[in-house]
Amino acid sequence: MLRVLILGSGGREHAMAVNLSSSPLCEELWVHPGNAGTRHWATKDCPDWRDFGAWSDWVREHYVDLVVIGPEDPLVHGLVDQCKADPRLANLAVLGPDQAGARLEGSKDYSKAFMNRHGIPTAKARTFEASERVSAEMYLHAVTYPLVLKADGLAAGKGVVICASREEALEALDMFWVQHRFGNSGSKVLFEQFLNGIECSVFVLCDGNRSVTLPVAKDYKRVGHGDSGPNTGGMGAVSPPPFVNEFFLNRVEECIVRPTIAGLNQEGVEYRGFLFVGLMKVGDDPFVIEYNVRMGDPETQVVFPRLGQDMLEWMYGAAQGQLPYGVPWVDPRYAVTTVVCSEGYPLEPKTGAMMQWPNEPGDDRYCYHAGTAWKENQVFNSGGRVMAATALHQELEQAVLNSRNLASAVDFDGAFYRSDIGDDLLL
Ligand code: AMP
Ligand code: GLY
């Protein structure tokens, strides 16, 4: 029996918690810091992971067997390394890569160079620093448009600008280098070739040497209908996207997943955790757009409800360097999630409104909480993305409609959602 602590506070962590809590191996589950949806699994007094001494005391005192790290921040800041270096935590399994592995997400410049070193297909790119503005502007004369500009560091999915012209690129450079919109994350900028294709995300669970592929998903990053407006963390997702077939998945495995794990090993990184490969399917060819070193949000809200009660075994195995053999059970139904957001998201979400939503909807519908808070027996919206309304159905069209209906029943002042999630896949 296992005692499990999930770190994070989003819809991703709520979806993981719902799955892991159903495992016959789960003795105790905590989600920290969590949200209103995970309050049944709240800890009373778990310190923040940044206060490592106090946090690790708590982990030991509660006999935690497995820590699942949801978001990228603790990974990029080396929480896994700190756990490994602490002899008092010798029996603790931690799911997530160490700092060296997390660089795949923490620096786009590093991950581009990694892919080039290991022959992994990706868009061509060049990096410029703020001090190289003159050469960067010259370079903008020589490239074709659209051009993609990306902040090198972490920017919560918002540091990417697709520029239709040189003028737009110059404006974007001002945003990175004059207004410092992304702080240090934008001091280096990748100038990347635009790839024209369909996007999907492949999720892999690795134990350092071996891996298993989890269900594929497609997410919807732009805030507005028909993929308009600024990028967000994700407004909805579908799993599996019907355009992904066995042939394409085999190519992804062969050209991307295996060379990535082998490349990490060659460079001395034993990667234990989820690897999220953001892909562009150009014709039949996969290209990596980005790596993330964790599960996606809201993709987890369509991937995890399709996984079975054995996921805890798989995740504990991966964290210990010993994935079980075989493949995890996957529900053949489609899953669709529609994210309900606060007015003003992604720029300045308005929070603090009292909420209502459909309670206990059943085993083909889930309301996963994200930016929600519990105060005096009421639930309030407390972030930009508030709730992911997931529905499962054999027919994609029905899953799309059910998710949308569920989203429409989530009620608070200023709530909005995209009512076209999945429509492009129904043709
Ligand atoms: P990223 O944060 O790198 O995933 O980029 C955010 C979004 O920008 C992606 O999901 C794509 O929709 C788009 N994007 C990023 N890189 C490219 C590219 N090279 N070509 C076309 N679209 C891209
Ligand atoms: N939905 C994209 C991400 O989690 O990065």
Side-chain angles (χ1 to χ4, degrees), residues 219 233 276 292 294 296-299:
D219 83 336
F276 163 158
N292 293 310
R294 50 173 174 81
D297 189 330
E299 292 90 332

Side-chain angles (χ1 to χ4, degrees), residues 108 150 160 192-195 199 221 280 289-290:
K108 290 193 190 284
K150 297 185 174 181
V160 174
E192 188 171 290
Q193 168 202 15
F194 179 83
L195 294 174
E199 272 182 86
K221 287 213 168 74
M280 190 70 86
I289 291 196
E290 62 166 349

